[in-house]
Amino acid sequence: MKDIIAEALSEAIELSYDDVQTLLTQPPQPNMGDIAFPCFQLAKKIRKAPVLIAGELNDKLNLRLTDSADPFSRAVERIEAVGAYLNFFLRRDTFAEEVLRASIAAGDRPGASDEGKGKTIIVEYSSPNIAKPFHVGHGFSTFLGEAIANLYEYAGYNVQRFNHLGDYGTQFGKLIVAWRRWGDVEALNKAPIQELTRIYIKFHDEAKIEPELEDEARRAFTRLEQGSEEEMKLWQTFREVSLEEFDDTYDRVNIHFDNMNGESFYAKMTPEVVTLLSEKGLLIESEGAQVVDLEDYGLNPCLILKNDGSTIYATRDIAAVLYRDRIWNFHRNIYVVGIPQINHFNQIFAVMEKLGMPDPERNVHVAFGTVRFADGVFSTRKGNIVLLDELLDAGVAHARAIVEESHPDLDDAEIEEISERIGVGAVRYTYLASGRERDILFSWEDILDYEGDTAPYLLYTVTRCASLLRKADSAVLKRLEKHSDEDAALLIGDDEQKVLKEIVQFPESLSAARKHYEPSMMIRRLMQLARAFNTFYHSTPILRVDDTALSAARLALAQAVERTLKAGLRIAGIEPVDRM
RNA sequence: GGUCCCGUAGCUCAGAUGGAUAGAGCGUUGGUCUCCUAAACCGAAGGUCGCGCGUUCGAAUCGCGCCGGGAUCACCA
């Protein structure tokens, strides 16, 4: 209906349809109208006071409202000029019809599209280090990356989920040396990462007393690089047992990667990078190392080869970009990696540009903040790190306590399933709800608060919708099936209209979230929709009305809300529940 | 020190092309369950948008300068 207004305005004034469209906004209060057109810009153009313009436009467009055959009069109820604003009040019945019709047509995938058809998008995220604990910090990249991947998939892109494992580097030399001295096979089988962490810490403690260990580790890594069988075998074991443990977590949060090529995979391709760079004359010597000068980008030189001739992570990342472009010819190559690596990616992308990569802006660093703890209490007895699984467990346990209390009728398996979804969903939500570049401040108090701006609130709203549909009587359900416009036109109450407005804006929030790699933009919209629905739910009887048509209409609205919330939650990676 | 980011209610955050009276949630406080699930709803209190100057008809938003906090600045990733 916005389009009809934009069209009418562009006919009435000297602005194109698109210009008008972008100027249209929403008034701050619903009683001021549904759509507003500010006349300031126009005032500059035609050199007339904006208040005067608003008044003249008001007179002009009001004439069209008298013609009942005019589609404009079917969309617009009345127009008011307030100051420099021209405020349009939509016809509520027409609006309700249109929103419900669109929602039904979109089905379970509101806002989905095929805009990305034939385009491949690589999203690199999670990327834990082998032999290191998967802690709450990894949760950020993991959940943010998955949500971004889902957003693009929803718009029809061919999304490739990459997990760039940290499975290469001198620390593996240390691990090999440590394992030979202090490794315990039984402990490794029982809790692999815990055991590997133990010997790694021990290595550092011992190296303080016995510095030769460092050299030994370096030699071990060199042998590993050269493919020595014995070292390779150990490395492979460390990698496998770590992955098995990571997979438990990935299964739990239902995240699955298409590609698990870690750094070791790209390390093999680094000679090619060195050749290419030197062929293009980009490689220069500096302090014994080989670097690419990036002064024209305002960046420090990018180190390619260390003074001992070995490669560095930048070299491997460049190899990865080249490889990925060759194999996938990607439309975007997205790195979901923390803010501290901003400089690193600026360098990599600058080198790609120097190498003459077509459209280098296809490479994107989606940076995010740090996970911090609000209080000292937020840690385990073992140390200052909290495993992601521990955080999820705490969330689920808290959810279970509430579910058990409110649903004594459910059996254990059901309680388990529901609690798991709520608890895990609550944790994921806290990672996604704020702008990604902000640090996340975790406190047990907030993470276990399931009221207000939380996933459980959204989930609870879904269960209300589901419950209504379960309890509706057959006459109403039968009427609901027909989805008639006449019924939809009954949804003209303030609270009903507010809900409809939120539904309309969901698809817009999806494209905004995609454009900015910012799932929170969608999440906030979901939250507003849920709040609008809950207000409506309290103020307005849905099943307890005698009028079957009205009941069916309101139920249709609840259905539309449920579809929208579920779709958004799933994109966020949060699995909805039917009751809680 | 150079570069970049941040500073909005007691706390956590929105305010993504400069527009109407700066908004949510938590917390505080007062109400609402014989009635579609109270993980809910309704009301109240709470702000010199870090400070100053500037651009503009109009600035939380843009520019400059301060103050405070953070990240980063090659042989780790």
Side-chain angles (χ1 to χ4, degrees), chain A residues 85 263 303 306-307 313 316 438 457 460 464 467 471 531 537 544:
Chain A
Y85 287 89
E263 291 178 72
L303 192 67
K306 301 193 268 191
N307 57 20
Y313 66 115
R316 299 191 279 277
R438 269 195 190 264
Y457 181 96
Y460 184 75
R464 277 190 157 166
S467 176
K471 294 197 170 164
R531 273 200 281 268
Y537 179 91
R544 297 178 176 279

Short mmCIF file of all heavy atoms in Angstrom, two decimals, chain A residues 85 263 303 306-307 313 316 438 457 460 464 467 471 531 537 544, chain B residues 13-14 19-20 24 35-38 40-42 73-75 77:
data_model
loop_
_atom_site.label_atom_id
_atom_site.label_comp_id
_atom_site.label_asym_id
_atom_site.label_seq_id
_atom_site.Cartn_x
_atom_site.Cartn_y
_atom_site.Cartn_z
N TYR A 85 4.83 17.76 7.61
CA TYR A 85 4.57 16.35 7.30
C TYR A 85 3.19 16.16 6.72
O TYR A 85 2.23 16.80 7.14
CB TYR A 85 4.68 15.50 8.57
CG TYR A 85 6.10 15.31 9.04
CD1 TYR A 85 6.68 16.21 9.93
CD2 TYR A 85 6.84 14.23 8.60
CE1 TYR A 85 7.97 16.04 10.37
CE2 TYR A 85 8.14 14.05 9.04
CZ TYR A 85 8.70 14.96 9.91
OH TYR A 85 9.99 14.78 10.34
N GLU A 263 43.86 -24.81 8.61
CA GLU A 263 45.06 -24.14 8.14
C GLU A 263 46.05 -25.09 7.48
O GLU A 263 46.75 -24.72 6.54
CB GLU A 263 45.75 -23.45 9.32
CG GLU A 263 44.99 -22.29 9.86
CD GLU A 263 45.71 -21.72 11.04
OE1 GLU A 263 46.76 -21.10 10.81
OE2 GLU A 263 45.27 -21.95 12.18
N LEU A 303 53.41 -9.53 6.20
CA LEU A 303 54.48 -10.51 6.26
C LEU A 303 54.07 -11.80 5.54
O LEU A 303 53.00 -12.34 5.81
CB LEU A 303 54.80 -10.81 7.73
CG LEU A 303 56.06 -11.58 8.04
CD1 LEU A 303 57.29 -10.77 7.70
CD2 LEU A 303 56.08 -11.98 9.50
N LYS A 306 58.69 -15.56 6.94
CA LYS A 306 59.51 -15.13 8.09
C LYS A 306 60.99 -15.18 7.70
O LYS A 306 61.34 -15.73 6.66
CB LYS A 306 59.24 -16.06 9.27
CG LYS A 306 57.78 -16.09 9.69
CD LYS A 306 57.60 -16.75 11.03
CE LYS A 306 57.33 -18.23 10.89
NZ LYS A 306 56.90 -18.86 12.14
N ASN A 307 61.84 -14.61 8.55
CA ASN A 307 63.25 -14.57 8.18
C ASN A 307 63.89 -15.97 8.10
O ASN A 307 64.98 -16.14 7.55
CB ASN A 307 64.05 -13.64 9.10
CG ASN A 307 63.91 -14.03 10.56
OD1 ASN A 307 63.54 -15.17 10.86
ND2 ASN A 307 64.19 -13.10 11.44
N TYR A 313 50.47 -17.09 9.07
CA TYR A 313 49.03 -17.27 8.82
C TYR A 313 48.50 -16.40 7.69
O TYR A 313 47.58 -16.79 6.98
CB TYR A 313 48.22 -17.08 10.09
CG TYR A 313 48.21 -15.68 10.67
CD1 TYR A 313 47.04 -14.94 10.73
CD2 TYR A 313 49.38 -15.12 11.16
CE1 TYR A 313 47.04 -13.67 11.27
CE2 TYR A 313 49.38 -13.84 11.70
CZ TYR A 313 48.20 -13.12 11.75
OH TYR A 313 48.19 -11.87 12.27
N ARG A 316 48.87 -18.27 4.51
CA ARG A 316 47.87 -19.33 4.37
C ARG A 316 46.49 -18.74 4.05
O ARG A 316 45.72 -19.31 3.28
CB ARG A 316 47.81 -20.15 5.66
CG ARG A 316 49.14 -20.82 5.98
CD ARG A 316 49.02 -21.84 7.08
NE ARG A 316 49.03 -21.27 8.42
CZ ARG A 316 50.13 -20.93 9.11
NH1 ARG A 316 51.32 -21.10 8.55
NH2 ARG A 316 50.04 -20.46 10.32
N ARG A 438 29.54 -5.04 19.41
CA ARG A 438 29.60 -4.77 20.84
C ARG A 438 30.17 -5.97 21.57
O ARG A 438 29.99 -7.10 21.16
CB ARG A 438 28.19 -4.53 21.38
CG ARG A 438 27.83 -3.09 21.35
CD ARG A 438 26.62 -2.85 22.20
NE ARG A 438 26.13 -1.51 21.99
CZ ARG A 438 26.45 -0.49 22.78
NH1 ARG A 438 27.20 -0.67 23.84
NH2 ARG A 438 25.99 0.70 22.53
N TYR A 457 10.92 -15.57 25.72
CA TYR A 457 9.76 -14.70 25.46
C TYR A 457 9.20 -14.95 24.07
O TYR A 457 8.00 -15.08 23.87
CB TYR A 457 10.17 -13.23 25.61
CG TYR A 457 9.05 -12.24 25.39
CD1 TYR A 457 8.33 -11.72 26.44
CD2 TYR A 457 8.72 -11.83 24.09
CE1 TYR A 457 7.30 -10.82 26.23
CE2 TYR A 457 7.70 -10.93 23.87
CZ TYR A 457 6.98 -10.42 24.94
OH TYR A 457 5.95 -9.52 24.72
N TYR A 460 7.69 -18.42 23.95
CA TYR A 460 6.43 -18.43 24.68
C TYR A 460 5.30 -17.87 23.81
O TYR A 460 4.18 -18.38 23.81
CB TYR A 460 6.59 -17.60 25.95
CG TYR A 460 5.39 -17.60 26.84
CD1 TYR A 460 5.10 -18.72 27.62
CD2 TYR A 460 4.54 -16.51 26.89
CE1 TYR A 460 3.99 -18.73 28.44
CE2 TYR A 460 3.42 -16.51 27.71
CZ TYR A 460 3.15 -17.62 28.48
OH TYR A 460 2.04 -17.64 29.28
N ARG A 464 1.78 -19.71 22.53
CA ARG A 464 0.44 -19.14 22.69
C ARG A 464 -0.35 -19.27 21.40
O ARG A 464 -1.52 -19.64 21.40
CB ARG A 464 0.54 -17.67 23.08
CG ARG A 464 0.75 -17.46 24.53
CD ARG A 464 0.61 -16.02 24.90
NE ARG A 464 0.28 -15.91 26.31
CZ ARG A 464 0.35 -14.78 27.01
NH1 ARG A 464 0.74 -13.67 26.42
NH2 ARG A 464 0.01 -14.76 28.28
N SER A 467 -1.20 -22.86 20.85
CA SER A 467 -2.22 -23.29 21.79
C SER A 467 -3.62 -22.83 21.34
O SER A 467 -4.59 -23.58 21.44
CB SER A 467 -1.89 -22.73 23.17
OG SER A 467 -2.91 -23.04 24.07
N LYS A 471 -6.93 -25.19 20.47
CA LYS A 471 -8.17 -25.10 21.24
C LYS A 471 -9.37 -24.56 20.48
O LYS A 471 -10.49 -24.59 20.99
CB LYS A 471 -7.93 -24.22 22.47
CG LYS A 471 -6.96 -24.88 23.42
CD LYS A 471 -7.00 -24.27 24.78
CE LYS A 471 -6.18 -25.15 25.72
NZ LYS A 471 -5.83 -24.46 26.97
N ARG A 531 5.89 -8.68 21.08
CA ARG A 531 5.30 -7.78 22.08
C ARG A 531 3.93 -7.28 21.60
O ARG A 531 2.98 -7.21 22.38
CB ARG A 531 6.23 -6.60 22.35
CG ARG A 531 7.26 -6.91 23.42
CD ARG A 531 7.82 -5.63 24.01
NE ARG A 531 8.82 -5.04 23.15
CZ ARG A 531 10.12 -5.30 23.23
NH1 ARG A 531 10.57 -6.13 24.15
NH2 ARG A 531 10.96 -4.74 22.40
N TYR A 537 -3.16 -10.06 22.46
CA TYR A 537 -3.66 -11.27 23.11
C TYR A 537 -4.36 -10.94 24.43
O TYR A 537 -5.38 -11.53 24.77
CB TYR A 537 -2.48 -12.22 23.34
CG TYR A 537 -2.82 -13.52 24.03
CD1 TYR A 537 -3.16 -14.64 23.29
CD2 TYR A 537 -2.76 -13.62 25.42
CE1 TYR A 537 -3.45 -15.84 23.92
CE2 TYR A 537 -3.05 -14.81 26.05
CZ TYR A 537 -3.40 -15.92 25.30
OH TYR A 537 -3.67 -17.10 25.93
N ARG A 544 -12.88 -16.63 22.49
CA ARG A 544 -14.08 -16.37 23.29
C ARG A 544 -14.94 -15.26 22.72
O ARG A 544 -15.30 -14.32 23.40
CB ARG A 544 -13.67 -16.00 24.72
CG ARG A 544 -12.95 -17.14 25.40
CD ARG A 544 -12.51 -16.79 26.78
NE ARG A 544 -11.91 -17.95 27.41
CZ ARG A 544 -12.62 -18.92 27.97
NH1 ARG A 544 -13.93 -18.86 28.00
NH2 ARG A 544 -12.00 -19.94 28.52
P C B 13 26.12 -4.06 26.76
OP1 C B 13 26.97 -5.01 26.03
OP2 C B 13 26.66 -2.74 27.13
"O5'" C B 13 24.76 -3.89 25.95
"C5'" C B 13 24.63 -3.09 24.83
"C4'" C B 13 23.21 -3.22 24.37
"O4'" C B 13 22.30 -2.77 25.41
"C3'" C B 13 22.83 -2.36 23.18
"O3'" C B 13 23.23 -2.99 21.97
"C2'" C B 13 21.32 -2.29 23.30
"O2'" C B 13 20.70 -3.45 22.83
"C1'" C B 13 21.14 -2.21 24.82
N1 C B 13 20.99 -0.83 25.32
C2 C B 13 19.78 -0.16 25.08
O2 C B 13 18.89 -0.76 24.46
N3 C B 13 19.62 1.10 25.52
C4 C B 13 20.61 1.69 26.19
N4 C B 13 20.39 2.94 26.61
C5 C B 13 21.85 1.05 26.45
C6 C B 13 22.00 -0.20 25.99
P A B 14 23.47 -2.11 20.67
OP1 A B 14 24.24 -2.92 19.73
OP2 A B 14 23.93 -0.75 21.01
"O5'" A B 14 21.97 -2.04 20.14
"C5'" A B 14 21.36 -0.81 20.01
"C4'" A B 14 19.96 -1.01 19.50
"O4'" A B 14 19.06 -0.79 20.61
"C3'" A B 14 19.56 0.00 18.43
"O3'" A B 14 19.87 -0.47 17.15
"C2'" A B 14 18.06 0.14 18.67
"O2'" A B 14 17.35 -0.95 18.13
"C1'" A B 14 18.01 0.06 20.20
N9 A B 14 18.23 1.37 20.83
C8 A B 14 19.29 1.76 21.61
N7 A B 14 19.19 3.00 22.06
C5 A B 14 17.99 3.44 21.55
C6 A B 14 17.30 4.66 21.66
N6 A B 14 17.75 5.69 22.34
N1 A B 14 16.12 4.77 21.01
C2 A B 14 15.66 3.73 20.31
N3 A B 14 16.20 2.54 20.13
C4 A B 14 17.38 2.45 20.79
P G B 19 17.15 11.49 11.38
OP1 G B 19 17.61 10.43 12.25
OP2 G B 19 16.34 11.19 10.19
"O5'" G B 19 16.37 12.55 12.25
"C5'" G B 19 15.00 12.30 12.52
"C4'" G B 19 14.27 13.61 12.54
"O4'" G B 19 14.73 14.51 11.50
"C3'" G B 19 12.78 13.39 12.33
"O3'" G B 19 12.06 14.07 13.34
"C2'" G B 19 12.54 14.00 10.94
"O2'" G B 19 11.27 14.55 10.84
"C1'" G B 19 13.60 15.08 10.86
N9 G B 19 13.99 15.49 9.53
C8 G B 19 14.41 14.73 8.47
N7 G B 19 14.74 15.44 7.42
C5 G B 19 14.52 16.74 7.81
C6 G B 19 14.69 17.94 7.10
O6 G B 19 15.10 18.11 5.96
N1 G B 19 14.35 19.05 7.86
C2 G B 19 13.89 18.99 9.15
N2 G B 19 13.62 20.15 9.73
N3 G B 19 13.72 17.88 9.84
C4 G B 19 14.05 16.80 9.11
P A B 20 12.18 13.35 14.84
OP1 A B 20 13.48 13.69 15.46
OP2 A B 20 11.70 11.95 14.88
"O5'" A B 20 11.09 14.28 15.51
"C5'" A B 20 11.19 15.70 15.40
"C4'" A B 20 9.81 16.27 15.53
"O4'" A B 20 9.06 15.93 14.32
"C3'" A B 20 9.02 15.70 16.71
"O3'" A B 20 8.25 16.75 17.28
"C2'" A B 20 8.08 14.69 16.06
"O2'" A B 20 6.85 14.55 16.73
"C1'" A B 20 7.84 15.30 14.69
N9 A B 20 7.53 14.30 13.65
C8 A B 20 8.31 13.27 13.20
N7 A B 20 7.76 12.55 12.25
C5 A B 20 6.52 13.15 12.08
C6 A B 20 5.44 12.86 11.22
N6 A B 20 5.45 11.86 10.34
N1 A B 20 4.35 13.64 11.31
C2 A B 20 4.34 14.65 12.19
N3 A B 20 5.30 15.03 13.04
C4 A B 20 6.36 14.24 12.94
P A B 24 8.90 2.71 25.03
OP1 A B 24 7.43 2.73 24.94
OP2 A B 24 9.59 3.21 26.23
"O5'" A B 24 9.38 1.24 24.70
"C5'" A B 24 10.13 0.54 25.62
"C4'" A B 24 10.72 -0.68 24.96
"O4'" A B 24 11.95 -0.32 24.27
"C3'" A B 24 11.12 -1.69 26.01
"O3'" A B 24 10.04 -2.58 26.25
"C2'" A B 24 12.34 -2.36 25.39
"O2'" A B 24 11.96 -3.32 24.42
"C1'" A B 24 13.00 -1.17 24.68
N9 A B 24 13.89 -0.38 25.55
C8 A B 24 13.68 0.90 25.99
N7 A B 24 14.64 1.37 26.74
C5 A B 24 15.56 0.33 26.80
C6 A B 24 16.79 0.20 27.45
N6 A B 24 17.34 1.16 28.17
N1 A B 24 17.45 -0.97 27.31
C2 A B 24 16.89 -1.93 26.58
N3 A B 24 15.72 -1.93 25.92
C4 A B 24 15.10 -0.76 26.07
P C B 35 -9.84 -19.36 35.32
OP1 C B 35 -9.56 -20.67 34.69
OP2 C B 35 -8.78 -18.33 35.40
"O5'" C B 35 -11.10 -18.72 34.63
"C5'" C B 35 -11.65 -19.31 33.44
"C4'" C B 35 -11.61 -18.32 32.30
"O4'" C B 35 -12.05 -17.02 32.76
"C3'" C B 35 -10.22 -18.01 31.73
"O3'" C B 35 -9.80 -19.02 30.83
"C2'" C B 35 -10.46 -16.68 31.04
"O2'" C B 35 -11.10 -16.85 29.80
"C1'" C B 35 -11.41 -16.00 32.02
N1 C B 35 -10.71 -15.10 32.95
C2 C B 35 -10.36 -13.82 32.50
O2 C B 35 -10.67 -13.49 31.34
N3 C B 35 -9.72 -12.97 33.34
C4 C B 35 -9.41 -13.36 34.57
N4 C B 35 -8.78 -12.50 35.35
C5 C B 35 -9.74 -14.66 35.05
C6 C B 35 -10.39 -15.49 34.22
P C B 36 -8.27 -19.24 30.52
OP1 C B 36 -7.96 -20.66 30.79
OP2 C B 36 -7.45 -18.19 31.14
"O5'" C B 36 -8.24 -19.03 28.94
"C5'" C B 36 -8.83 -20.02 28.09
"C4'" C B 36 -8.20 -19.99 26.73
"O4'" C B 36 -8.64 -18.80 26.02
"C3'" C B 36 -6.67 -19.87 26.70
"O3'" C B 36 -6.13 -21.17 26.81
"C2'" C B 36 -6.40 -19.24 25.33
"O2'" C B 36 -6.24 -20.24 24.33
"C1'" C B 36 -7.69 -18.49 25.02
N1 C B 36 -7.54 -17.02 24.98
C2 C B 36 -8.27 -16.30 24.03
O2 C B 36 -8.99 -16.92 23.26
N3 C B 36 -8.16 -14.97 23.99
C4 C B 36 -7.35 -14.33 24.83
N4 C B 36 -7.29 -13.01 24.75
C5 C B 36 -6.59 -15.05 25.82
C6 C B 36 -6.70 -16.38 25.85
P U B 37 -4.50 -21.43 26.79
OP1 U B 37 -4.13 -21.17 25.40
OP2 U B 37 -4.30 -22.76 27.37
"O5'" U B 37 -3.75 -20.34 27.70
"C5'" U B 37 -3.98 -20.28 29.08
"C4'" U B 37 -2.65 -20.14 29.78
"O4'" U B 37 -1.77 -21.23 29.39
"C3'" U B 37 -1.90 -18.85 29.52
"O3'" U B 37 -1.40 -18.36 30.76
"C2'" U B 37 -0.73 -19.31 28.64
"O2'" U B 37 0.43 -18.52 28.82
"C1'" U B 37 -0.49 -20.70 29.17
N1 U B 37 0.24 -21.58 28.27
C2 U B 37 1.48 -22.02 28.69
O2 U B 37 1.97 -21.70 29.76
N3 U B 37 2.11 -22.85 27.80
C4 U B 37 1.64 -23.26 26.58
O4 U B 37 2.33 -24.00 25.89
C5 U B 37 0.34 -22.75 26.22
C6 U B 37 -0.30 -21.95 27.05
P A B 38 -1.69 -16.85 31.20
OP1 A B 38 -2.85 -16.81 32.11
OP2 A B 38 -1.72 -16.06 29.96
"O5'" A B 38 -0.43 -16.45 32.05
"C5'" A B 38 0.77 -16.06 31.41
"C4'" A B 38 1.80 -15.72 32.46
"O4'" A B 38 1.36 -14.52 33.16
"C3'" A B 38 1.96 -16.80 33.52
"O3'" A B 38 3.31 -16.85 33.94
"C2'" A B 38 1.09 -16.30 34.66
"O2'" A B 38 1.50 -16.75 35.92
"C1'" A B 38 1.29 -14.79 34.53
N9 A B 38 0.18 -14.05 35.11
C8 A B 38 -1.08 -13.88 34.61
N7 A B 38 -1.86 -13.16 35.38
C5 A B 38 -1.06 -12.82 36.46
C6 A B 38 -1.28 -12.09 37.62
N6 A B 38 -2.44 -11.52 37.90
N1 A B 38 -0.27 -11.95 38.49
C2 A B 38 0.90 -12.53 38.20
N3 A B 38 1.24 -13.25 37.14
C4 A B 38 0.21 -13.36 36.30
P A B 40 7.71 -12.80 30.59
OP1 A B 40 8.51 -12.16 29.52
OP2 A B 40 7.80 -12.32 31.97
"O5'" A B 40 6.18 -12.78 30.16
"C5'" A B 40 5.81 -13.02 28.81
"C4'" A B 40 4.33 -12.77 28.66
"O4'" A B 40 3.62 -13.53 29.67
"C3'" A B 40 3.90 -11.33 28.91
"O3'" A B 40 4.09 -10.53 27.77
"C2'" A B 40 2.43 -11.52 29.28
"O2'" A B 40 1.67 -11.81 28.13
"C1'" A B 40 2.52 -12.78 30.15
N9 A B 40 2.77 -12.43 31.55
C8 A B 40 3.91 -12.65 32.27
N7 A B 40 3.85 -12.21 33.51
C5 A B 40 2.59 -11.64 33.60
C6 A B 40 1.91 -11.01 34.65
N6 A B 40 2.44 -10.81 35.85
N1 A B 40 0.66 -10.56 34.41
C2 A B 40 0.13 -10.76 33.21
N3 A B 40 0.66 -11.35 32.14
C4 A B 40 1.91 -11.78 32.40
P C B 41 4.38 -9.00 27.87
OP1 C B 41 4.66 -8.51 26.52
OP2 C B 41 5.35 -8.77 28.97
"O5'" C B 41 2.98 -8.44 28.35
"C5'" C B 41 1.86 -8.50 27.48
"C4'" C B 41 0.65 -7.98 28.19
"O4'" C B 41 0.44 -8.74 29.41
"C3'" C B 41 0.77 -6.55 28.68
"O3'" C B 41 0.51 -5.63 27.64
"C2'" C B 41 -0.30 -6.52 29.77
"O2'" C B 41 -1.60 -6.46 29.21
"C1'" C B 41 -0.11 -7.89 30.40
N1 C B 41 0.80 -7.84 31.56
C2 C B 41 0.33 -7.32 32.77
O2 C B 41 -0.83 -6.92 32.83
N3 C B 41 1.16 -7.27 33.83
C4 C B 41 2.40 -7.72 33.73
N4 C B 41 3.19 -7.65 34.81
C5 C B 41 2.92 -8.24 32.51
C6 C B 41 2.09 -8.29 31.46
P C B 42 1.28 -4.23 27.61
OP1 C B 42 1.01 -3.63 26.28
OP2 C B 42 2.66 -4.39 28.09
"O5'" C B 42 0.47 -3.41 28.71
"C5'" C B 42 -0.89 -3.08 28.48
"C4'" C B 42 -1.46 -2.39 29.69
"O4'" C B 42 -1.42 -3.30 30.83
"C3'" C B 42 -0.67 -1.19 30.18
"O3'" C B 42 -0.94 -0.03 29.43
"C2'" C B 42 -1.15 -1.08 31.62
"O2'" C B 42 -2.45 -0.52 31.68
"C1'" C B 42 -1.23 -2.55 32.01
N1 C B 42 0.00 -3.02 32.68
C2 C B 42 0.18 -2.71 34.03
O2 C B 42 -0.71 -2.05 34.60
N3 C B 42 1.29 -3.12 34.67
C4 C B 42 2.21 -3.82 34.01
N4 C B 42 3.30 -4.21 34.69
C5 C B 42 2.07 -4.15 32.63
C6 C B 42 0.95 -3.74 32.01
P C B 73 48.90 -6.39 16.51
OP1 C B 73 49.27 -7.61 15.75
OP2 C B 73 49.09 -6.35 17.96
"O5'" C B 73 49.68 -5.13 15.89
"C5'" C B 73 49.81 -5.00 14.48
"C4'" C B 73 50.53 -3.72 14.16
"O4'" C B 73 49.75 -2.59 14.65
"C3'" C B 73 51.88 -3.53 14.85
"O3'" C B 73 52.92 -4.22 14.19
"C2'" C B 73 52.06 -2.02 14.80
"O2'" C B 73 52.46 -1.59 13.52
"C1'" C B 73 50.61 -1.55 15.04
N1 C B 73 50.38 -1.24 16.48
C2 C B 73 50.60 0.06 16.93
O2 C B 73 50.98 0.92 16.12
N3 C B 73 50.39 0.35 18.24
C4 C B 73 50.00 -0.61 19.08
N4 C B 73 49.80 -0.28 20.35
C5 C B 73 49.76 -1.95 18.65
C6 C B 73 49.97 -2.22 17.34
P A B 74 54.09 -4.89 15.02
OP1 A B 74 53.52 -5.40 16.28
OP2 A B 74 55.25 -4.01 15.03
"O5'" A B 74 54.42 -6.13 14.09
"C5'" A B 74 53.43 -7.12 13.82
"C4'" A B 74 53.95 -8.04 12.75
"O4'" A B 74 54.18 -7.27 11.55
"C3'" A B 74 55.30 -8.67 13.07
"O3'" A B 74 55.11 -9.88 13.77
"C2'" A B 74 55.87 -8.93 11.68
"O2'" A B 74 55.37 -10.14 11.15
"C1'" A B 74 55.30 -7.77 10.88
N9 A B 74 56.24 -6.67 10.67
C8 A B 74 56.43 -5.56 11.47
N7 A B 74 57.33 -4.72 11.00
C5 A B 74 57.76 -5.32 9.83
C6 A B 74 58.70 -4.94 8.86
N6 A B 74 59.40 -3.81 8.93
N1 A B 74 58.89 -5.76 7.82
C2 A B 74 58.18 -6.90 7.75
N3 A B 74 57.25 -7.37 8.59
C4 A B 74 57.09 -6.52 9.61
P C B 75 55.90 -10.17 15.05
OP1 C B 75 55.06 -9.69 16.12
OP2 C B 75 57.28 -9.63 14.94
"O5'" C B 75 56.00 -11.66 15.17
"C5'" C B 75 55.84 -12.85 14.73
"C4'" C B 75 56.68 -13.37 13.59
"O4'" C B 75 57.33 -12.33 12.83
"C3'" C B 75 57.82 -14.26 14.01
"O3'" C B 75 57.39 -15.61 13.95
"C2'" C B 75 58.90 -14.06 12.98
"O2'" C B 75 59.00 -15.19 12.11
"C1'" C B 75 58.40 -12.90 12.12
N1 C B 75 59.43 -11.91 11.82
C2 C B 75 60.38 -12.25 10.86
O2 C B 75 60.32 -13.38 10.35
N3 C B 75 61.34 -11.37 10.55
C4 C B 75 61.35 -10.17 11.13
N4 C B 75 62.32 -9.33 10.78
C5 C B 75 60.38 -9.77 12.10
C6 C B 75 59.44 -10.68 12.41
P A B 77 51.31 -18.51 13.03
OP1 A B 77 51.63 -19.84 12.47
OP2 A B 77 51.65 -17.28 12.27
"O5'" A B 77 49.78 -18.44 13.41
"C5'" A B 77 49.15 -19.55 14.03
"C4'" A B 77 47.77 -19.13 14.48
"O4'" A B 77 47.90 -18.02 15.39
"C3'" A B 77 46.89 -18.60 13.37
"O3'" A B 77 46.22 -19.65 12.69
"C2'" A B 77 45.93 -17.67 14.10
"O2'" A B 77 44.89 -18.40 14.70
"C1'" A B 77 46.84 -17.11 15.20
N9 A B 77 47.39 -15.80 14.84
C8 A B 77 48.53 -15.54 14.13
N7 A B 77 48.77 -14.25 13.98
C5 A B 77 47.72 -13.63 14.63
C6 A B 77 47.39 -12.29 14.85
N6 A B 77 48.13 -11.26 14.39
N1 A B 77 46.27 -12.01 15.54
C2 A B 77 45.53 -13.02 15.99
N3 A B 77 45.74 -14.34 15.85
C4 A B 77 46.86 -14.57 15.16
#
